[in-house]
Amino acid sequence: MTRTIWFLTGNSGKLREATHHLLPLGYEVRQLILKEGEIIEPQVDTLEEVAQSKIAQALLHIPDGQQSQDMIMVEDAGLFIDALNGFPGVYSSYILDTIGCNGIVRLLEHLQSEDTVQCAQLRSAQFQAVAALWMDGQILYGNGTCPGWIALESSGEDGFGFDPVFTPNDLDAFGEPLPPGTYGEKSAHGKTFGSISIEEKQAYSHRSRALNDLLRQLPSA
Ligand code: ITT
């Protein structure tokens, strides 16, 4: 039986990626859109706290409320740059809206090297995602991380958000990320997420990993 997942998000890029991931597994993903003022993004310290607060708010808005057979999902992500002690992290949306991808590149302008491995190390960063799923009265959490580095300049038309400035680390034969600058079985060959397809991004992405972590916890998975 196909179950419906109401995904509370205003971000069409996230919706597209989650649908791409979950539809083939038999989940119908529908966007839950709340009007401005109906949802508050709390300024808290962790992605998990943001996700938990949004689930509680979303529950007030789905058909049949707490009795629903449907599931509710939220997913919060952020870009954590090592040289900036994890900034912008939970402030990623605000930073994208204010200084944007070019602002991030400018912040790291002083961190460069002719040596590509050293350059990737100096500019290392990771996307982190927490996906939270409400089903049958309980909340499950899934975590995903994607390590990589911030490119020297913005590139690519695909993807969304910080995709044009983020290059993922290579993956080993088991699909696990390797340290920056290490060659692996799978490589984006220095391309940013903005320059690769949604299918290719899926192999590396924090979102895919967080969703897989969630699905592993579902009784039917
Ligand atoms: P919601 O409505 O679902 O909260 P959002 O756009 O606010 O969507 P997040 O808080 O999860 O998204 O993400 C924080 C920022 O990080 C936001 O500006 C996103 O565009 C960006 N971001 C998240 N995942 C990303 C990804 O896979 N690639 C590039 N940027 C991403």
Side-chain angles (χ1 to χ4, degrees):
M1 183 186 72
T2 308
R3 278 188 82 174
T4 300
I5 298 180
W6 289 96
F7 186 11
L8 175 64
T9 182
N11 184 321
S12 54
K14 284 168 60 169
L15 180 71
R16 201 164 42 246
E17 287 185 14
T19 304
H20 197 85
H21 193 99
L22 295 170
L23 195 60
L25 301 172
Y27 297 97
E28 184 198 18
V29 181
R30 299 182 65 181
Q31 185 176 19
L32 179 62
I33 305 176
L34 299 186
K35 292 193 219 81
E36 221 171 297
E38 284 184 331
I39 178 93
I40 299 163
E41 176 120 14
Q43 276 308 330
V44 285
D45 293 337
T46 64
L47 294 174
E48 188 160 313
E49 287 171 281
V50 178
Q52 192 177 16
S53 156
K54 286 203 206 158
I55 287 275
Q57 298 181 62
L59 265 175
L60 305 172
H61 296 276
I62 55 157
D64 301 335
Q66 306 264 351
Q67 310 311 318
S68 179
Q69 291 301 301
D70 295 348
M71 299 184 260
I72 302 174
M73 186 171 80
V74 304
E75 184 264 294
D76 260 278
L79 177 66
F80 296 73
I81 300 174
D82 295 326
L84 304 179
N85 292 334
F87 182 83
V90 291
Y91 305 105
S92 293
S93 286
Y94 178 72
I95 293 305
L96 187 72
D97 291 345
T98 49
I99 64 171
C101 285
N102 291 335
I104 290 289
V105 169
R106 276 199 303 277
L107 279 177
L108 300 190
E109 224 159 37
H110 59 296
L111 298 174
Q112 297 198 25
S113 165
E114 303 265 295
D115 181 306
T116 48
V117 175
Q118 199 180 23
C119 197
Q121 286 168 344
L122 286 171
R123 301 170 71 88
S124 65
Q126 52 183 289
F127 272 119
Q128 290 177 21
V130 172
L133 188 78
W134 178 91
M135 63 177 297
D136 305 330
Q138 58 162 333
I139 304 177
L140 303 174
Y141 293 95
N143 289 279
T145 299
C146 173
W149 71 95
I150 303 298
L152 294 169
E153 58 184 15
S154 208
S155 68
E157 305 290 316
D158 289 327
F160 66 95
F162 297 106
D163 282 343
V165 291
F166 184 85
T167 301
N169 287 355
D170 284 15
L171 306 177
D172 69 14
F174 305 100
E176 291 306 317
L178 292 161
T182 313
Y183 288 107
E185 286 287 310
K186 185 158 178 59
S187 175
H189 302 291
K191 288 190 198 148
T192 64
F193 271 165
S195 304
I196 63 177
S197 66
I198 189 170
E199 288 79 16
E200 202 179 346
K201 179 178 175 185
Q202 204 164 332
Y204 302 92
S205 126
H206 46 299
R207 181 157 301 104
S208 294
R209 288 168 194 271
L211 294 176
N212 281 339
D213 191 27
L214 252 189
L215 293 171
R216 272 193 289 272
Q217 300 170 52
L218 290 183
S220 54

